[in-house]
Amino acid sequence: MTESRWAWAEIDLSAITHNVTVLKGLTAPGTLFMAVVKADGYGHGAVEVARAALKAGADRLGVATVDEAVELRSAGISAPIQVLSEPPVATVATLLDHTITPTLYTKEFAGALGRAAALRGVDAPYHLKVDTGMNRIGVAHADAALFAAMLAEFPGLRLEGTFTHFATADVPGDWDAARQLKRFRSVIEAMRTEKIDPGIVHAANSPATILMPESHLSMVRCGIALYGLHPAPSTYSVIDLKPAMSVRARTTLVKRIGMGEGVSYGLTWHAGASALIATLPLGYADGVHRTLSNSMQVLVGGARASQVGRVCMDQFMVEVPRGVDVQRGTVFTLVGTDSGERIPMDEQAEKAGTINYELACSFGMRLPRVYTR
Ligand SMILES: *Cc1c(COP(=O)(O)O)cnc(C)c1O
């Protein structure tokens, strides 16, 4: 609980430790493990999660932006950090100042990074991104070996790794994912034929780490599974993950309303009989999607309670179930366990019309975080 605010996200760092351990257990000895902590650790707090993951045996960290990498460096984290897409040319000095490894796939960025590094008398490490079929970022697989050969001639650059990313790794036995892996292997072979060392060769995100052992190569990159959330229904039977995030709040006001009274903006819900209404101090600016209005449930006293009326920016209301004792200050659980009853992130995400990835990130927007070990 936090003193200044009666709503918070609880982050169980022992779950992060557990998840790193079981995920690493799926890989062959010597396989590197990247903990992906972009988007403030999927809403869990990047610095705390990074520290816990590294302590549990992660080798490297992955982020989305240079600012995220700088935040980790400023917190005193010295492990290798990779920015997972090519950052703007304007960041090259920052990358070199903070020893941050960029992803690279354009000549323009290669030239800028190489020149800046050469002026400092150093070789900047980079990872080459190969697009094998997702068609988001990277050098097209057909051009990749030639591009790598060209980069080998640039001063100030050192190829530390070569990687790709799957579009459909969450579908077991998927033909598209198999084709992406095949294309990636061909690129790696062509580079070796050209006497270019591809360095750390990596492709697997969480679903591929769990479902496609043949894609592990020299390193796996785990995000969602690190947080104990499953990337797809297909992974539940394969691995025992522990969810790290719970979301809770204390009710700020409890009141009885008469039959026919409406609740919240638009009065979209009306009491069919006299009802006890509890107000919780969090809303869509805290990640409780407004699409959850009149559809989500929360836990109180080990029982499920229905959310009623529209979710507001900073608050929403719940009808207190009969027989549950609720006072001002009683704890409600939006995600997590209460006296043996559980509401998983997946349940709320599905009701909100999204995936656990997005909902976890959303809860990172404004809620204070409380860490347990
Ligand atoms: C976000 C990201 C990951 C992690 O994906 P999960 O499905 O969360 O494990 C891995 N690799 C890249 C390139 C990413 O952008």
Side-chain angles (χ1 to χ4, degrees):
M1 213 244 308
T2 53
E3 294 296 328
S4 61
R5 210 182 149 196
W6 274 10
W8 65 98
E10 256 166 49
I11 312 297
D12 178 3
L13 294 173
S14 75
I16 303 285
T17 305
H18 167 88
N19 298 329
V20 172
T21 307
V22 294
L23 287 162
K24 275 179 67 97
L26 296 177
T27 65
T31 310
L32 296 172
F33 187 94
M34 175 188 279
V36 179
V37 296
K38 63 195 183 193
D40 205 9
Y42 292 41
H44 294 64
V47 170
E48 296 281 354
V49 170
R51 285 196 184 119
L54 291 167
K55 213 169 153 195
D59 302 284
R60 310 172 75 92
L61 300 169
V63 295
T65 69
V66 175
D67 289 345
E68 290 174 343
V70 170
E71 186 198 354
L72 296 170
R73 284 283 179 259
S74 305
I77 291 170
S78 59
I81 303 174
Q82 183 183 344
V83 179
L84 292 167
S85 61
E86 188 184 90
V89 163
T91 64
V92 295
T94 308
L95 295 170
L96 295 168
D97 287 348
H98 295 274
T99 332
I100 298 162
T101 308
T103 291
L104 189 155
Y105 40 82
T106 71
K107 236 198 246 183
E108 185 201 7
F109 183 80
L113 182 66
R115 270 192 303 277
L119 277 173
R120 295 183 187 208
V122 296
D123 279 340
Y126 71 94
H127 285 227
L128 175 66
K129 177 70 184 278
V130 182
D131 188 340
T132 54
M134 177 147 167
N135 291 306
R136 184 171 65 176
I137 51 171
V139 183
H141 64 100
D143 308 329
L146 206 61
F147 187 75
M150 181 193 72
L151 292 187
E153 306 295 319
F154 275 52
L157 292 179
R158 177 169 61 83
L159 180 60
E160 186 190 65
T162 306
F163 75 113
T164 193
H165 190 58
F166 292 114
T168 59
D170 55 321
V171 182
D174 186 63
W175 190 79
D176 288 300
R179 185 170 65 162
Q180 282 197 266
L181 183 58
K182 196 166 165 225
R183 285 173 169 174
F184 187 53
R185 284 188 192 281
S186 303
V187 170
I188 299 301
E189 257 172 53
M191 287 170 73
R192 291 201 167 118
T193 304
E194 295 289 321
K195 303 269 180 288
I196 298 163
D197 178 1
I200 303 168
V201 176
H202 49 118
N205 51 2
S206 294
T209 301
I210 300 168
L211 299 171
M212 296 174 63
E214 70 279 17
S215 73
H216 291 176
L217 309 172
S218 4
M219 179 166 77
V220 297
R221 308 185 302 264
C222 291
I224 198 77
L226 180 66
Y227 306 97
L229 300 173
H230 282 267
S234 51
T235 61
Y236 275 90
S237 60
V238 186
I239 189 168
D240 172 39
L241 299 170
K242 285 206 173 97
M245 183 189 282
S246 304
V247 179
R248 303 189 205 274
R250 287 181 185 273
T251 180
T252 50
L253 193 67
V254 187
K255 68 154 145 315
R256 184 157 291 281
I257 62 170
M259 184 177 83
E261 286 290 317
V263 171
S264 194
Y265 289 122
L267 304 179
T268 58
W269 183 86
H270 290 86
S274 156
L276 197 59
I277 301 296
T279 301
L280 299 180
L282 75 173
Y284 58 76
D286 299 296
V288 185
H289 290 214
R290 191 167 174 277
T291 52
L292 287 165
S293 297
N294 287 308
S295 82
M296 78 187 295
Q297 294 185 320
V298 298
L299 299 175
V300 60
R304 282 178 176 258
S306 296
Q307 188 279 326
V308 295
R310 286 197 179 131
V311 172
C312 312
M313 189 183 290
D314 316 299
Q315 307 183 75
F316 69 81
M317 276 63 84
V318 172
E319 183 180 10
V320 176
R322 252 170 238 290
V324 180
D325 177 37
V326 171
Q327 312 284 334
R328 181 170 139 80
T330 297
V331 174
F332 284 66
T333 299
L334 285 76
V335 173
T337 302
D338 176 8
S339 316
E341 185 67 37
R342 190 165 96 87
I343 294 185
M345 188 75 76
D346 290 13
E347 176 183 325
Q348 305 296 32
E350 197 173 312
K351 283 197 177 142
T354 183
I355 53 174
N356 52 16
Y357 289 74
E358 187 187 7
L359 198 59
C361 288
S362 303
F363 286 131
M365 287 198 289
R366 189 174 67 178
L367 287 174
R369 282 185 289 258
V370 179
Y371 291 94
T372 60
R373 262 158 243 273

